[in-house]
Structure formats: structure tokens, C-alpha cells
Amino acid sequence: MNATVTIFPFDLFGSAGTGAGARLLGDAVHEILDDTDRETRPCRADVLRGAVRVKEFAFETLAEVTNWRKHGRQAARQALKTKEFLLWLGGNHLAALPVLEELGKDTLVVQFDAHLDVYAFHDTTSELSHGNFLTHFETPRPRLVNVGHRDLFLTPEEIGETFEAVYPAWDVAADVTRVASELRAKVKAAKRVWIDIDCDALDPTALPAVHEPLPFGLAPPAFLALFEAVWEGNVVGVSITEFDPGRDVRDTSLNLLGWLVEYVLLKAAARAS
């Protein structure tokens, strides 16, 4: 299976600065590929040689910004149509919307996110933003399951209008094995699966470089166990958003995400071999 890495550093309407995070993760991808090309001895990364295509967006002109959603959907549609594995490196979480719109109602999206992104409180805008984008789909919405949220405001009825299921951080902390088992059953029954990672799903002690950190997030070992459970489904792609390198501490977040990006690419390549 070939893979396409799309660097989509859109970060308007919330979490400005995360566009730099998408570009920095894009640099990490180029470094991974360059290191692989230079290596002369057999290595695990050999499966990436000639199998990864990188597509970069800039958003440096008015036309690029104005048509961000259209161009994002076109890029996602092209990769999904050719059945390439798609790694989508976005700015703020809103940058994941174009690819989610292209997935369709038959896709199960497992979102790792501290927030539920359906907010409509008295002091929040009703217009499209990174905090309410799940209510602004232009196409039939995919099935959504949240893992790791720490929301204390929304009612179960409000949550149920958008999400098929939610596994808040306190459920994961209480019994990560049960949550992994239920996720495994859901993804195995789904036609196809997308993994959507908002960086604030992880605990800020492990990944501090986010705009709206919340305590009691997912610890990396728990996240990895849940990621592995979801991977047992027909995963066609992964999106990673909300990394703001200006808020990082001694590159803690960059190191974690750089490792995760390489891990995802290797797993996708191994599945095809």
C-alpha cells in the first residue's frame, strides 16, 4: 500500500500557531524519508522507499485561504479514491474537516480528543470554528466515536446528537482493557475506519504543546493500547491536529508526535506487505 502524507497547515478560526506544528511534522516526515534513503543496511524503514508521497499546502495567498475547504476535500478525495493510506497533518482541528467530509456516513471515525467540538454556549460563535465544526458538515456526517474527552458541560442528550459513543478519560482510567475491547468490536464491524487525533487528547504532562490543555488526559501507554485496538479495523487513514510548537517544552511534544508519525507510516506499510 502506498501512502500519501498531506500537510494541511490551516489554523484560522481557533488555535492560531498550529499551522507551524503541521509544517514541523511535515519536516519530520521528510527527515524520516531522507534518513531511509541514505541508509545502506537493511532496516525496517525499507518498506517506505518509494512508497510515500508528500503533498504540501501553504495558505500564503488569499485564494488559498478562501478555498481551503474545497482544496482540502479535493486532496482527500484523490487519495481515498486511489485507496492510498492517507496521513493528514493539519493545523487546528478544523483542518481535519475536509477529509472527514469526504469519508461519508459508512466510515467510523474514532476521535481521540479532549473536547467534543459541538459547542454552542452563550459566548461561542455559531459560525464555523475549530470548537463547533462537527455541527457544520456539508456532506453526510461519518459515524463518530470519541475517546478521551474531559468535557464537564455538555449533557448526554447533546452529546448523543452527534456521537455514536463516547469513552471519556475517566472511563479509560477506570478500565482501559474494557474500552479497548469495545473499540475493537466496533472497528471490526465497520466498513472502514479513520483515526482522528487531536493532540490535547493526551495528558499535557506528555504533550504540553496545545492551546487548550485539560488535566487527566490519556497517558501515552493507554493511548497506544487504544490505538492498537482501533488499528484492528480497516483503517484507511489518520489525521493529527492541534500541535502548537510554540508551547512545547524541550521538544517533548515534537518527540512524541515524530515517533507516532513514523510508527503510523510503518504500520500502514507493514499491513500492505
Side-chain angles (χ1 to χ4, degrees):
M1 176 185 294
N2 290 335
T4 294
V5 179
T6 299
I7 302 164
F8 199 75
F10 186 83
D11 63 0
L12 295 180
F13 316 120
S15 299
T18 53
R23 288 188 287 270
L24 192 57
L25 292 182
D27 291 343
V29 170
H30 285 297
E31 183 176 350
I32 291 166
L33 299 178
D34 290 344
D35 286 347
T36 301
D37 287 342
R38 285 193 295 265
E39 184 55 61
T40 58
R41 296 176 62 87
C43 62
R44 184 180 177 187
D46 284 341
V47 294
L48 301 180
R49 296 181 188 272
V52 180
R53 179 169 62 95
V54 180
K55 182 177 180 62
E56 301 188 46
F57 289 82
F59 301 113
E60 294 177 345
T61 68
L62 181 59
E64 289 171 337
V65 172
T66 301
N67 295 304
W68 71 274
R69 198 169 179 178
K70 175 183 176 182
H71 292 162
R73 288 188 59 178
Q74 288 173 341
R77 188 182 311 125
Q78 180 180 2
L80 293 169
K81 184 177 181 180
T82 58
K83 300 190 183 302
E84 297 175 346
F85 182 87
L86 179 56
L87 177 59
W88 190 271
L89 304 176
N92 60 27
H93 206 174
L94 181 55
L97 179 58
V99 67
L100 297 183
E101 288 184 313
E102 286 299 315
L103 291 173
K105 62 182 180 181
D106 292 331
T107 303
L108 177 66
V109 175
V110 179
Q111 289 191 320
F112 291 90
D113 192 354
H115 308 90
L116 293 169
D117 294 330
V118 293
Y119 299 108
F121 297 120
H122 74 282
D123 58 348
T124 56
T125 178
S126 60
E127 297 176 337
L128 179 64
S129 76
H130 76 308
N132 68 7
F133 75 94
L134 295 180
T135 65
H136 284 271
F137 274 70
E138 293 180 342
T139 60
R141 190 168 53 212
R143 299 163 55 201
L144 295 171
V145 171
N146 171 274
V147 182
H149 85 81
R150 279 95 82 191
D151 183 85
L152 301 175
F153 291 91
L154 295 172
T155 66
E157 292 75 19
E158 289 175 304
I159 295 171
E161 291 177 3
T162 302
F163 292 91
E164 181 175 303
V166 293
Y167 296 95
W170 48 89
D171 281 1
V172 175
D175 195 345
V176 66
T177 302
R178 175 187 66 81
V179 174
S181 178
E182 292 188 15
L183 287 173
R184 189 175 293 111
K186 286 182 179 295
V187 300
K188 285 186 174 181
K191 181 177 180 181
R192 65 178 180 176
V193 178
W194 183 273
I195 301 176
D196 179 42
I197 303 169
D198 181 319
C199 290
D200 61 27
L202 282 93
D203 194 82
T205 58
L207 205 163
V210 296
H211 269 249
E212 298 184 34
L214 286 177
F216 300 107
L218 301 178
F223 167 80
L224 201 57
L226 298 172
F227 183 93
E228 286 293 302
V230 177
W231 192 266
E232 293 188 28
N234 178 27
V235 178
V236 298
V238 174
S239 47
I240 301 175
T241 59
E242 291 287 343
F243 167 45
D244 183 355
R247 297 170 184 262
D248 209 353
V249 179
R250 296 190 294 275
D251 288 339
T252 300
S253 308
L254 177 60
N255 289 334
L256 187 154
L257 293 171
W259 183 92
L260 181 61
V261 163
E262 186 168 8
Y263 182 68
V264 168
L265 289 174
L266 289 173
K267 285 182 74 66
R271 171 176 283 181
S273 62

